Amino acid sequence: MKEQWKGFFFVVLAAFLWGLSGNVAKYLFNRQINPLDVVQMRLFLSFVFLLLYLAFVRRSLILIERKHICYMVIFGTFGVTAVQSTYLLAISQTNVATAIFLQYLAPVLVLGYGLLRRQERLALPNGLALFFSVLGGFLMVKGSPGAGLAVSIPGLAAGLSSAAAFAFYTLYGKKGLATYSPWTLLLYGFAMGSVVFSFYRLPWVTLVQYSWKEWLFFVYIAVFASILPFGFYFKGLNYLSPVKTNLTSTLEPVIAGILAYLLLGEILTPWQVLGCGLILTGVILIQLSGHRPVRD
């Protein structure tokens, strides 16, 4: 139980940083900064900073076995790169709350995969937690009973792709944690993202197009929206099952909504406050459920 709460703390910390970064990203998009440029700078600078840190502090974490190169390519391309790209694109096409809600359909996909593989049981506590989390996120996006879910086709496609990528990132990343440190996985994930986006444009060509003020935002997003929260998320995944990790991270839209109110002056409606309460209830239920995954 002590290890579960330790994992819970790390995932909540990641959710806080992600919730704040969603508001920062929306601010950049409102300044007419290209979303693809933000994604590229996020991946490239995250790789550079993490590589420098490991080179000076934990050099042993840089090396991997040759037989795992293929795993790192798949994880970096369809995990780290896909998650970051689709998430920021969804924010640029919709609003922060809608993008985050669509991404947090990932627990449904993770649980569904676990049920198909017979690695999870749909017990009452985690079933209720899943229901409360999804319903709470929907109420946060809905805002009021009469309001429609105004999502453009590109925004909906990016959001659903983000959910699929986040589910894959969680499940496939759990496999890699059996062999490597979270920082090693992130390093190669960011490296692959930088390689993929080099076909879009070389990173230094993108960087010189912006002023030092935008550079500061890029650095912030690389460190506090990528390296630290993804590292904390993986740290939590060390102690929790993929379903518990994903469900706990659904605190992100609650945090994002509160920070949007405090920083941007966005008002939460009573229905959105109810949604926050439902998500919190879901997270508490999954933590207190005593749930154990079924092993093959």
Side-chain angles (χ1 to χ4, degrees), residues 246-278:
N246 248 174
L247 282 170
T248 304
S249 65
T250 56
L251 281 170
E252 182 185 343
V254 179
I255 295 169
I258 293 173
L259 291 176
Y261 168 75
L262 295 175
L263 301 177
L264 305 177
E266 296 181 0
I267 305 298
L268 292 175
T269 68
W271 286 89
Q272 289 175 311
V273 174
L274 176 60
C276 291
L278 287 173

mmCIF file of all heavy atoms in Angstrom, residues 246-278:
data_model
loop_
_atom_site.group_PDB
_atom_site.id
_atom_site.type_symbol
_atom_site.label_atom_id
_atom_site.label_comp_id
_atom_site.label_asym_id
_atom_site.label_seq_id
_atom_site.Cartn_x
_atom_site.Cartn_y
_atom_site.Cartn_z
ATOM 1 N N ASN A 246 -3.146 5.358 -15.467
ATOM 2 C CA ASN A 246 -3.942 6.155 -16.394
ATOM 3 C C ASN A 246 -5.095 6.853 -15.693
ATOM 4 O O ASN A 246 -5.385 8.028 -15.939
ATOM 5 C CB ASN A 246 -4.483 5.272 -17.509
ATOM 6 C CG ASN A 246 -3.873 5.594 -18.863
ATOM 7 O OD1 ASN A 246 -4.117 4.907 -19.832
ATOM 8 N ND2 ASN A 246 -3.085 6.645 -18.966
ATOM 9 N N LEU A 247 -5.790 6.141 -14.806
ATOM 10 C CA LEU A 247 -6.938 6.730 -14.121
ATOM 11 C C LEU A 247 -6.515 7.838 -13.167
ATOM 12 O O LEU A 247 -7.180 8.870 -13.071
ATOM 13 C CB LEU A 247 -7.714 5.647 -13.363
ATOM 14 C CG LEU A 247 -8.613 4.764 -14.220
ATOM 15 C CD1 LEU A 247 -9.137 3.584 -13.412
ATOM 16 C CD2 LEU A 247 -9.785 5.578 -14.756
ATOM 17 N N THR A 248 -5.410 7.642 -12.456
ATOM 18 C CA THR A 248 -4.925 8.687 -11.554
ATOM 19 C C THR A 248 -4.557 9.943 -12.328
ATOM 20 O O THR A 248 -4.780 11.070 -11.879
ATOM 21 C CB THR A 248 -3.714 8.188 -10.746
ATOM 22 O OG1 THR A 248 -4.063 7.001 -10.041
ATOM 23 C CG2 THR A 248 -3.254 9.249 -9.760
ATOM 24 N N SER A 249 -4.009 9.770 -13.519
ATOM 25 C CA SER A 249 -3.601 10.924 -14.319
ATOM 26 C C SER A 249 -4.791 11.703 -14.862
ATOM 27 O O SER A 249 -4.609 12.788 -15.418
ATOM 28 C CB SER A 249 -2.701 10.478 -15.475
ATOM 29 O OG SER A 249 -3.401 9.652 -16.381
ATOM 30 N N THR A 250 -6.025 11.177 -14.687
ATOM 31 C CA THR A 250 -7.203 11.942 -15.108
ATOM 32 C C THR A 250 -7.442 13.155 -14.204
ATOM 33 O O THR A 250 -8.384 13.919 -14.429
ATOM 34 C CB THR A 250 -8.471 11.069 -15.141
ATOM 35 O OG1 THR A 250 -8.680 10.469 -13.861
ATOM 36 C CG2 THR A 250 -8.365 9.992 -16.196
ATOM 37 N N LEU A 251 -6.609 13.329 -13.189
ATOM 38 C CA LEU A 251 -6.639 14.582 -12.422
ATOM 39 C C LEU A 251 -6.194 15.764 -13.272
ATOM 40 O O LEU A 251 -6.455 16.916 -12.910
ATOM 41 C CB LEU A 251 -5.721 14.467 -11.199
ATOM 42 C CG LEU A 251 -6.257 13.708 -9.991
ATOM 43 C CD1 LEU A 251 -5.161 13.486 -8.983
ATOM 44 C CD2 LEU A 251 -7.415 14.472 -9.363
ATOM 45 N N GLU A 252 -5.526 15.495 -14.377
ATOM 46 C CA GLU A 252 -4.996 16.586 -15.207
ATOM 47 C C GLU A 252 -6.069 17.578 -15.647
ATOM 48 O O GLU A 252 -5.862 18.799 -15.527
ATOM 49 C CB GLU A 252 -4.269 16.028 -16.431
ATOM 50 C CG GLU A 252 -3.660 17.122 -17.297
ATOM 51 C CD GLU A 252 -3.045 16.599 -18.578
ATOM 52 O OE1 GLU A 252 -2.796 15.387 -18.665
ATOM 53 O OE2 GLU A 252 -2.805 17.407 -19.487
ATOM 54 N N PRO A 253 -7.241 17.139 -16.183
ATOM 55 C CA PRO A 253 -8.234 18.148 -16.575
ATOM 56 C C PRO A 253 -8.766 18.961 -15.409
ATOM 57 O O PRO A 253 -9.115 20.134 -15.573
ATOM 58 C CB PRO A 253 -9.352 17.308 -17.226
ATOM 59 C CG PRO A 253 -9.129 15.921 -16.777
ATOM 60 C CD PRO A 253 -7.659 15.781 -16.557
ATOM 61 N N VAL A 254 -8.829 18.358 -14.209
ATOM 62 C CA VAL A 254 -9.238 19.119 -13.022
ATOM 63 C C VAL A 254 -8.219 20.219 -12.744
ATOM 64 O O VAL A 254 -8.568 21.388 -12.542
ATOM 65 C CB VAL A 254 -9.369 18.186 -11.805
ATOM 66 C CG1 VAL A 254 -9.766 18.980 -10.567
ATOM 67 C CG2 VAL A 254 -10.379 17.088 -12.070
ATOM 68 N N ILE A 255 -6.967 19.839 -12.735
ATOM 69 C CA ILE A 255 -5.895 20.804 -12.474
ATOM 70 C C ILE A 255 -5.856 21.865 -13.561
ATOM 71 O O ILE A 255 -5.703 23.067 -13.283
ATOM 72 C CB ILE A 255 -4.550 20.068 -12.372
ATOM 73 C CG1 ILE A 255 -4.547 19.141 -11.159
ATOM 74 C CG2 ILE A 255 -3.393 21.054 -12.299
ATOM 75 C CD1 ILE A 255 -3.380 18.172 -11.113
ATOM 76 N N ALA A 256 -6.003 21.437 -14.827
ATOM 77 C CA ALA A 256 -5.980 22.387 -15.937
ATOM 78 C C ALA A 256 -7.114 23.390 -15.826
ATOM 79 O O ALA A 256 -6.941 24.587 -16.084
ATOM 80 C CB ALA A 256 -6.066 21.645 -17.267
ATOM 81 N N GLY A 257 -8.307 22.915 -15.424
ATOM 82 C CA GLY A 257 -9.448 23.815 -15.274
ATOM 83 C C GLY A 257 -9.247 24.824 -14.166
ATOM 84 O O GLY A 257 -9.563 26.014 -14.307
ATOM 85 N N ILE A 258 -8.716 24.363 -13.040
ATOM 86 C CA ILE A 258 -8.469 25.269 -11.912
ATOM 87 C C ILE A 258 -7.411 26.307 -12.274
ATOM 88 O O ILE A 258 -7.548 27.508 -11.985
ATOM 89 C CB ILE A 258 -8.039 24.459 -10.671
ATOM 90 C CG1 ILE A 258 -9.200 23.590 -10.186
ATOM 91 C CG2 ILE A 258 -7.574 25.397 -9.554
ATOM 92 C CD1 ILE A 258 -8.822 22.634 -9.071
ATOM 93 N N LEU A 259 -6.333 25.860 -12.920
ATOM 94 C CA LEU A 259 -5.268 26.791 -13.313
ATOM 95 C C LEU A 259 -5.751 27.770 -14.382
ATOM 96 O O LEU A 259 -5.336 28.938 -14.389
ATOM 97 C CB LEU A 259 -4.057 26.016 -13.818
ATOM 98 C CG LEU A 259 -3.293 25.205 -12.771
ATOM 99 C CD1 LEU A 259 -2.178 24.405 -13.410
ATOM 100 C CD2 LEU A 259 -2.737 26.119 -11.682
ATOM 101 N N ALA A 260 -6.622 27.302 -15.281
ATOM 102 C CA ALA A 260 -7.177 28.212 -16.287
ATOM 103 C C ALA A 260 -8.004 29.306 -15.616
ATOM 104 O O ALA A 260 -8.009 30.458 -16.061
ATOM 105 C CB ALA A 260 -8.035 27.433 -17.278
ATOM 106 N N TYR A 261 -8.710 28.948 -14.539
ATOM 107 C CA TYR A 261 -9.481 29.945 -13.787
ATOM 108 C C TYR A 261 -8.551 30.941 -13.090
ATOM 109 O O TYR A 261 -8.764 32.158 -13.128
ATOM 110 C CB TYR A 261 -10.359 29.239 -12.758
ATOM 111 C CG TYR A 261 -10.983 30.171 -11.747
ATOM 112 C CD1 TYR A 261 -12.064 30.994 -12.095
ATOM 113 C CD2 TYR A 261 -10.498 30.238 -10.443
ATOM 114 C CE1 TYR A 261 -12.627 31.853 -11.167
ATOM 115 C CE2 TYR A 261 -11.062 31.093 -9.514
ATOM 116 C CZ TYR A 261 -12.127 31.903 -9.882
ATOM 117 O OH TYR A 261 -12.681 32.755 -8.968
ATOM 118 N N LEU A 262 -7.476 30.423 -12.474
ATOM 119 C CA LEU A 262 -6.574 31.289 -11.718
ATOM 120 C C LEU A 262 -5.688 32.145 -12.617
ATOM 121 O O LEU A 262 -5.426 33.315 -12.322
ATOM 122 C CB LEU A 262 -5.690 30.432 -10.796
ATOM 123 C CG LEU A 262 -6.417 29.671 -9.680
ATOM 124 C CD1 LEU A 262 -5.437 28.772 -8.941
ATOM 125 C CD2 LEU A 262 -7.091 30.642 -8.719
ATOM 126 N N LEU A 263 -5.221 31.573 -13.730
ATOM 127 C CA LEU A 263 -4.248 32.263 -14.577
ATOM 128 C C LEU A 263 -4.884 33.015 -15.738
ATOM 129 O O LEU A 263 -4.406 34.083 -16.130
ATOM 130 C CB LEU A 263 -3.227 31.259 -15.134
ATOM 131 C CG LEU A 263 -2.418 30.481 -14.089
ATOM 132 C CD1 LEU A 263 -1.511 29.474 -14.770
ATOM 133 C CD2 LEU A 263 -1.600 31.439 -13.216
ATOM 134 N N LEU A 264 -5.941 32.441 -16.306
ATOM 135 C CA LEU A 264 -6.553 33.036 -17.497
ATOM 136 C C LEU A 264 -7.924 33.638 -17.245
ATOM 137 O O LEU A 264 -8.532 34.196 -18.159
ATOM 138 C CB LEU A 264 -6.653 31.977 -18.611
ATOM 139 C CG LEU A 264 -5.347 31.277 -18.992
ATOM 140 C CD1 LEU A 264 -5.594 30.209 -20.050
ATOM 141 C CD2 LEU A 264 -4.321 32.292 -19.486
ATOM 142 N N GLY A 265 -8.426 33.487 -16.028
ATOM 143 C CA GLY A 265 -9.720 34.065 -15.697
ATOM 144 C C GLY A 265 -10.914 33.300 -16.236
ATOM 145 O O GLY A 265 -12.029 33.820 -16.256
ATOM 146 N N GLU A 266 -10.714 32.042 -16.674
ATOM 147 C CA GLU A 266 -11.825 31.232 -17.164
ATOM 148 C C GLU A 266 -12.667 30.760 -15.978
ATOM 149 O O GLU A 266 -12.142 30.310 -14.965
ATOM 150 C CB GLU A 266 -11.314 30.033 -17.952
ATOM 151 C CG GLU A 266 -10.568 30.432 -19.222
ATOM 152 C CD GLU A 266 -10.085 29.233 -20.014
ATOM 153 O OE1 GLU A 266 -10.331 28.096 -19.576
ATOM 154 O OE2 GLU A 266 -9.454 29.439 -21.071
ATOM 155 N N ILE A 267 -14.001 30.880 -16.120
ATOM 156 C CA ILE A 267 -14.916 30.545 -15.037
ATOM 157 C C ILE A 267 -15.396 29.108 -15.176
ATOM 158 O O ILE A 267 -15.777 28.669 -16.261
ATOM 159 C CB ILE A 267 -16.125 31.502 -15.026
ATOM 160 C CG1 ILE A 267 -15.641 32.947 -14.953
ATOM 161 C CG2 ILE A 267 -17.050 31.177 -13.847
ATOM 162 C CD1 ILE A 267 -14.858 33.278 -13.722
ATOM 163 N N LEU A 268 -15.399 28.360 -14.071
ATOM 164 C CA LEU A 268 -15.950 27.016 -14.054
ATOM 165 C C LEU A 268 -17.440 27.078 -13.718
ATOM 166 O O LEU A 268 -17.836 27.698 -12.733
ATOM 167 C CB LEU A 268 -15.232 26.157 -13.011
ATOM 168 C CG LEU A 268 -13.763 25.812 -13.283
ATOM 169 C CD1 LEU A 268 -13.179 25.051 -12.096
ATOM 170 C CD2 LEU A 268 -13.636 24.991 -14.548
ATOM 171 N N THR A 269 -18.269 26.454 -14.540
ATOM 172 C CA THR A 269 -19.704 26.378 -14.277
ATOM 173 C C THR A 269 -19.960 25.335 -13.187
ATOM 174 O O THR A 269 -19.086 24.500 -12.889
ATOM 175 C CB THR A 269 -20.473 25.978 -15.539
ATOM 176 O OG1 THR A 269 -20.146 24.611 -15.865
ATOM 177 C CG2 THR A 269 -20.130 26.886 -16.708
ATOM 178 N N PRO A 270 -21.153 25.348 -12.571
ATOM 179 C CA PRO A 270 -21.476 24.307 -11.576
ATOM 180 C C PRO A 270 -21.317 22.891 -12.117
ATOM 181 O O PRO A 270 -20.895 21.991 -11.395
ATOM 182 C CB PRO A 270 -22.935 24.612 -11.225
ATOM 183 C CG PRO A 270 -23.070 26.080 -11.459
ATOM 184 C CD PRO A 270 -22.214 26.363 -12.648
ATOM 185 N N TRP A 271 -21.653 22.670 -13.408
ATOM 186 C CA TRP A 271 -21.500 21.344 -13.995
ATOM 187 C C TRP A 271 -20.030 20.948 -14.100
ATOM 188 O O TRP A 271 -19.669 19.783 -13.932
ATOM 189 C CB TRP A 271 -22.157 21.302 -15.380
ATOM 190 C CG TRP A 271 -23.652 21.264 -15.306
ATOM 191 C CD1 TRP A 271 -24.490 22.330 -15.269
ATOM 192 C CD2 TRP A 271 -24.480 20.093 -15.215
ATOM 193 N NE1 TRP A 271 -25.801 21.910 -15.174
ATOM 194 C CE2 TRP A 271 -25.820 20.548 -15.148
ATOM 195 C CE3 TRP A 271 -24.219 18.728 -15.214
ATOM 196 C CZ2 TRP A 271 -26.898 19.665 -15.061
ATOM 197 C CZ3 TRP A 271 -25.299 17.843 -15.130
ATOM 198 C CH2 TRP A 271 -26.608 18.311 -15.057
ATOM 199 N N GLN A 272 -19.166 21.925 -14.383
ATOM 200 C CA GLN A 272 -17.737 21.637 -14.446
ATOM 201 C C GLN A 272 -17.171 21.324 -13.064
ATOM 202 O O GLN A 272 -16.308 20.456 -12.917
ATOM 203 C CB GLN A 272 -17.000 22.814 -15.086
ATOM 204 C CG GLN A 272 -17.265 22.949 -16.574
ATOM 205 C CD GLN A 272 -16.630 24.198 -17.160
ATOM 206 O OE1 GLN A 272 -16.778 25.291 -16.622
ATOM 207 N NE2 GLN A 272 -15.913 24.036 -18.255
ATOM 208 N N VAL A 273 -17.665 22.036 -12.054
ATOM 209 C CA VAL A 273 -17.245 21.732 -10.686
ATOM 210 C C VAL A 273 -17.674 20.317 -10.301
ATOM 211 O O VAL A 273 -16.920 19.563 -9.668
ATOM 212 C CB VAL A 273 -17.838 22.759 -9.703
ATOM 213 C CG1 VAL A 273 -17.540 22.369 -8.257
ATOM 214 C CG2 VAL A 273 -17.283 24.155 -9.997
ATOM 215 N N LEU A 274 -18.901 19.931 -10.707
ATOM 216 C CA LEU A 274 -19.361 18.568 -10.477
ATOM 217 C C LEU A 274 -18.459 17.563 -11.187
ATOM 218 O O LEU A 274 -18.127 16.501 -10.645
ATOM 219 C CB LEU A 274 -20.802 18.412 -10.958
ATOM 220 C CG LEU A 274 -21.408 17.004 -10.878
ATOM 221 C CD1 LEU A 274 -21.418 16.507 -9.428
ATOM 222 C CD2 LEU A 274 -22.826 16.996 -11.453
ATOM 223 N N GLY A 275 -18.050 17.903 -12.416
ATOM 224 C CA GLY A 275 -17.138 17.031 -13.152
ATOM 225 C C GLY A 275 -15.824 16.848 -12.427
ATOM 226 O O GLY A 275 -15.278 15.733 -12.360
ATOM 227 N N CYS A 276 -15.290 17.941 -11.853
ATOM 228 C CA CYS A 276 -14.060 17.843 -11.063
ATOM 229 C C CYS A 276 -14.251 16.877 -9.898
ATOM 230 O O CYS A 276 -13.386 16.032 -9.618
ATOM 231 C CB CYS A 276 -13.670 19.215 -10.523
ATOM 232 S SG CYS A 276 -13.122 20.388 -11.775
ATOM 233 N N GLY A 277 -15.404 17.007 -9.230
ATOM 234 C CA GLY A 277 -15.688 16.135 -8.087
ATOM 235 C C GLY A 277 -15.775 14.669 -8.489
ATOM 236 O O GLY A 277 -15.296 13.782 -7.771
ATOM 237 N N LEU A 278 -16.380 14.397 -9.649
ATOM 238 C CA LEU A 278 -16.504 13.009 -10.113
ATOM 239 C C LEU A 278 -15.131 12.413 -10.448
ATOM 240 O O LEU A 278 -14.856 11.242 -10.155
ATOM 241 C CB LEU A 278 -17.421 12.939 -11.333
ATOM 242 C CG LEU A 278 -18.915 13.148 -11.066
ATOM 243 C CD1 LEU A 278 -19.688 13.227 -12.380
ATOM 244 C CD2 LEU A 278 -19.463 12.021 -10.200
#
